[in-house]
Coordinates of all heavy atoms in Angstrom, one line a residue:
N3 N 119.0 115.3 75.2 CA 120.0 116.3 74.8 C 119.7 117.7 75.3 O 119.7 118.7 74.6 CB 120.3 116.3 73.3 CG 120.9 115.1 72.8 OD1 121.8 114.5 73.5 ND2 120.4 114.6 71.7
G4 N 119.3 117.8 76.6 CA 119.0 119.1 77.2 C 117.5 119.5 77.2 O 117.2 120.5 77.8
K5 N 116.7 118.8 76.5 CA 115.2 119.1 76.5 C 114.6 118.6 77.8 O 115.1 117.7 78.5 CB 114.5 118.4 75.4 CG 114.9 119.0 74.0 CD 114.2 118.3 72.9 CE 114.6 118.9 71.5 NZ 113.9 118.3 70.4
K6 N 113.6 119.3 78.3 CA 112.9 118.9 79.5 C 112.3 117.5 79.3 O 111.8 117.1 78.2 CB 111.7 119.8 79.8 CG 110.9 119.4 81.0 CD 109.6 120.2 81.2 CE 109.9 121.6 81.7 NZ 108.6 122.3 82.0
V7 N 112.4 116.7 80.3 CA 111.8 115.3 80.3 C 110.7 115.3 81.4 O 110.9 115.7 82.5 CB 112.8 114.2 80.7 CG1 112.2 112.9 80.8 CG2 113.9 114.2 79.6
I8 N 109.5 114.9 80.9 CA 108.4 114.7 81.8 C 108.1 113.2 81.9 O 108.0 112.6 80.9 CB 107.2 115.5 81.3 CG1 107.5 117.0 81.3 CG2 105.9 115.2 82.2 CD1 106.3 117.8 80.7
I9 N 107.9 112.7 83.1 CA 107.5 111.3 83.3 C 105.9 111.4 83.1 O 105.2 111.9 83.9 CB 107.8 110.8 84.7 CG1 109.4 110.7 84.8 CG2 107.2 109.4 84.9 CD1 109.9 110.3 86.2
T10 N 105.5 110.8 82.0 CA 104.1 110.9 81.6 C 103.2 109.7 82.3 O 102.0 109.9 82.3 CB 103.9 110.9 80.1 OG1 104.9 110.0 79.6 CG2 104.2 112.3 79.6
E11 N 103.9 108.7 82.6 CA 103.2 107.6 83.3 C 104.2 106.8 84.2 O 105.3 106.5 83.8 CB 102.6 106.5 82.4 CG 101.5 107.0 81.5 CD 101.0 105.9 80.5 OE1 101.0 104.7 81.0 OE2 100.7 106.2 79.4
T12 N 103.8 106.6 85.5 CA 104.4 105.6 86.3 C 103.4 105.3 87.4 O 102.6 106.1 87.8 CB 105.7 106.2 86.9 OG1 106.5 105.1 87.5 CG2 105.5 107.3 88.0
G13 N 103.5 104.1 87.9 CA 102.6 103.6 89.0 C 102.8 102.2 89.4 O 103.8 101.6 88.9
W14 N 101.9 101.7 90.2 CA 102.1 100.3 90.8 C 100.7 99.8 91.1 O 99.9 100.5 91.7 CB 102.9 100.3 92.0 CG 103.5 99.0 92.4 CD1 102.9 98.0 93.0 CD2 104.8 98.5 92.0 NE1 103.8 96.9 93.2 CE2 105.0 97.2 92.6 CE3 105.9 99.1 91.4 CZ2 106.1 96.5 92.4 CZ3 107.1 98.4 91.2 CH2 107.2 97.1 91.8
P15 N 100.4 98.6 90.6 CA 99.0 98.0 90.9 C 98.8 97.5 92.3 O 99.8 97.0 92.9 CB 99.0 96.9 89.9 CG 100.4 96.4 89.7 CD 101.2 97.7 89.8
S16 N 97.6 97.6 92.8 CA 97.3 97.3 94.2 C 96.9 95.9 94.3 O 96.8 95.4 95.5 CB 96.2 98.2 94.7 OG 95.1 98.1 93.9
T17 N 96.6 95.2 93.3 CA 96.2 93.7 93.4 C 96.3 93.1 92.0 O 96.6 93.8 91.0 CB 94.8 93.5 93.9 OG1 94.6 92.2 94.2 CG2 93.7 94.0 93.0
G18 N 96.1 91.8 91.9 CA 96.3 91.1 90.6 C 97.5 90.3 90.5 O 98.3 90.2 91.5
S19 N 97.8 89.7 89.4 CA 98.9 88.8 89.2 C 100.2 89.7 89.3 O 100.2 90.8 88.9 CB 98.9 88.1 87.9 OG 97.7 87.3 87.8
S20 N 101.3 89.0 89.9 CA 102.6 89.7 90.0 C 103.4 89.3 88.7 O 103.1 88.4 88.0 CB 103.3 89.3 91.3 OG 102.5 89.7 92.4
L21 N 104.5 90.1 88.5 CA 105.4 89.9 87.4 C 106.8 89.7 87.9 O 107.4 90.7 88.3 CB 105.2 91.1 86.4 CG 106.1 91.0 85.2 CD1 105.8 89.8 84.3 CD2 105.9 92.3 84.4
K22 N 107.3 88.5 87.8 CA 108.7 88.2 88.3 C 108.8 88.8 89.7 O 108.1 88.5 90.6 CB 109.7 88.8 87.3 CG 109.7 88.1 86.0 CD 110.8 88.5 85.1 CE 110.8 87.7 83.8 NZ 111.9 88.1 82.9
G23 N 109.8 89.7 89.9 CA 110.0 90.3 91.3 C 109.0 91.4 91.7 O 109.1 91.9 92.8
A24 N 108.2 91.8 90.7 CA 107.3 92.9 91.0 C 106.0 92.3 91.5 O 105.2 91.7 90.8 CB 107.0 93.7 89.7
V25 N 105.7 92.6 92.8 CA 104.5 92.0 93.4 C 103.4 93.0 93.5 O 103.6 94.1 94.0 CB 104.9 91.5 94.9 CG1 103.7 91.0 95.6 CG2 106.0 90.4 94.8
S26 N 102.3 92.7 93.0 CA 101.1 93.6 93.1 C 100.5 93.4 94.5 O 100.1 92.4 94.9 CB 100.1 93.1 92.1 OG 100.6 93.1 90.8
S27 N 100.4 94.5 95.2 CA 99.8 94.5 96.6 C 99.5 96.0 97.0 O 100.1 96.9 96.5 CB 100.7 93.9 97.6 OG 101.8 94.7 97.9
E28 N 98.5 96.1 97.9 CA 98.2 97.4 98.4 C 99.4 98.1 99.1 O 99.7 99.2 98.9 CB 97.0 97.3 99.4 CG 95.7 97.0 98.7 CD 94.5 97.2 99.6 OE1 94.7 97.4 100.8 OE2 93.4 97.1 99.1
E29 N 100.1 97.2 99.8 CA 101.3 97.8 100.5 C 102.3 98.3 99.6 O 102.9 99.4 99.7 CB 101.9 96.7 101.4 CG 103.1 97.1 102.2 CD 103.7 96.0 103.1 OE1 103.0 95.0 103.3 OE2 104.8 96.2 103.7
N30 N 102.6 97.5 98.5 CA 103.6 98.0 97.5 C 103.1 99.2 96.7 O 103.9 100.1 96.4 CB 104.0 96.8 96.6 CG 104.9 95.8 97.3 OD1 105.4 96.1 98.4 ND2 105.0 94.7 96.7
A31 N 101.9 99.2 96.4 CA 101.3 100.4 95.7 C 101.5 101.6 96.5 O 101.8 102.7 96.0 CB 99.8 100.1 95.4
M32 N 101.2 101.6 97.8 CA 101.4 102.7 98.7 C 102.9 103.1 98.8 O 103.2 104.3 98.7 CB 100.9 102.4 100.1 CG 99.4 102.4 100.2 SD 98.7 102.3 101.9 CE 99.0 100.6 102.2
K33 N 103.8 102.2 98.9 CA 105.2 102.5 99.0 C 105.7 103.2 97.7 O 106.4 104.1 97.8 CB 106.0 101.2 99.2 CG 105.8 100.6 100.6 CD 106.6 99.3 100.8 CE 106.5 98.7 102.2 NZ 107.2 97.4 102.3
Y34 N 105.3 102.6 96.6 CA 105.7 103.2 95.3 C 105.2 104.6 95.1 O 106.0 105.5 94.7 CB 105.3 102.3 94.1 CG 105.9 102.8 92.8 CD1 107.2 102.4 92.5 CD2 105.3 103.6 91.9 CE1 107.9 102.8 91.4 CE2 105.9 104.0 90.8 CZ 107.2 103.6 90.5 OH 107.8 104.0 89.3
F35 N 104.0 104.8 95.4 CA 103.4 106.2 95.3 C 104.2 107.2 96.2 O 104.5 108.3 95.8 CB 101.9 106.2 95.7 CG 101.3 107.5 95.7 CD1 100.9 108.1 94.5 CD2 101.1 108.2 96.9 CE1 100.3 109.4 94.5 CE2 100.5 109.5 96.8 CZ 100.1 110.1 95.6
I36 N 104.4 106.8 97.4 CA 105.1 107.7 98.4 C 106.5 108.0 97.9 O 106.9 109.2 97.8 CB 105.2 107.0 99.8 CG1 103.8 107.0 100.4 CG2 106.1 107.8 100.7 CD1 103.7 106.0 101.6
N37 N 107.3 107.0 97.5 CA 108.6 107.3 97.0 C 108.6 108.1 95.7 O 109.5 109.0 95.6 CB 109.4 105.9 96.8 CG 110.1 105.5 98.1 OD1 110.3 106.3 99.0 ND2 110.4 104.2 98.1
A38 N 107.7 107.8 94.8 CA 107.7 108.5 93.5 C 107.4 109.9 93.8 O 108.0 110.8 93.2 CB 106.7 107.8 92.6
Q39 N 106.4 110.2 94.6 CA 106.0 111.6 94.8 C 107.1 112.4 95.6 O 107.4 113.6 95.2 CB 104.7 111.7 95.6 CG 103.5 111.1 94.8 CD 103.3 111.8 93.5 OE1 103.5 113.0 93.4 NE2 102.8 111.1 92.5
M40 N 107.7 111.8 96.6 CA 108.8 112.5 97.4 C 110.0 112.7 96.5 O 110.6 113.8 96.6 CB 109.1 111.6 98.6 CG 108.0 111.6 99.6 SD 108.6 110.8 101.2 CE 107.2 111.2 102.2
W41 N 110.4 111.8 95.7 CA 111.5 112.0 94.8 C 111.3 113.0 93.8 O 112.1 113.9 93.6 CB 111.9 110.6 94.2 CG 113.0 110.8 93.1 CD1 114.3 111.2 93.3 CD2 112.8 110.6 91.7 NE1 114.9 111.2 92.1 CE2 114.0 110.9 91.1 CE3 111.7 110.3 90.9 CZ2 114.2 110.8 89.7 CZ3 111.9 110.2 89.5 CH2 113.2 110.4 88.9
S42 N 110.1 113.0 93.1 CA 109.9 113.9 92.0 C 109.8 115.4 92.6 O 110.2 116.3 92.0 CB 108.6 113.6 91.3 OG 107.5 113.6 92.1
A43 N 109.2 115.5 93.8 CA 109.1 116.8 94.4 C 110.5 117.3 94.8 O 110.8 118.5 94.6 CB 108.2 116.8 95.7
K44 N 111.3 116.4 95.3 CA 112.7 116.8 95.8 C 113.5 117.3 94.6 O 114.3 118.2 94.6 CB 113.4 115.7 96.5 CG 114.8 116.0 97.0 CD 115.4 114.8 97.7 CE 116.7 115.2 98.3 NZ 117.7 115.6 97.3
E45 N 113.4 116.5 93.5 CA 114.3 116.8 92.3 C 113.6 117.7 91.3 O 114.1 118.0 90.2 CB 114.6 115.5 91.6 CG 115.4 114.5 92.4 CD 116.8 115.0 92.7 OE1 117.3 115.9 92.0 OE2 117.4 114.4 93.6

């Protein structure tokens, strides 16, 4: 309701078991980090 929102945690694992459509891999971890940082900086 108008208060600042801070994303306190978000990320992606680089290996290990996957969860449904969420695949743990180095490639996906890099992609998620890049997109998350670019979006948060832009907005």
Side-chain angles (χ1 to χ4, degrees):
N3 292 317
K5 294 181 179 180
K6 178 190 285 188
V7 176
I8 298 174
I9 298 176
T10 38
E11 292 177 39
T12 194
W14 200 276
S16 59
T17 190
S19 301
S20 298
L21 178 61
K22 297 188 176 182
V25 177
S26 307
S27 72
E28 290 191 352
E29 182 177 350
N30 285 346
M32 286 188 285
K33 289 177 178 178
Y34 189 79
F35 176 78
I36 292 164
N37 271 342
Q39 295 301 328
M40 289 188 174
W41 171 66
S42 63
K44 182 179 185 299
E45 298 292 342

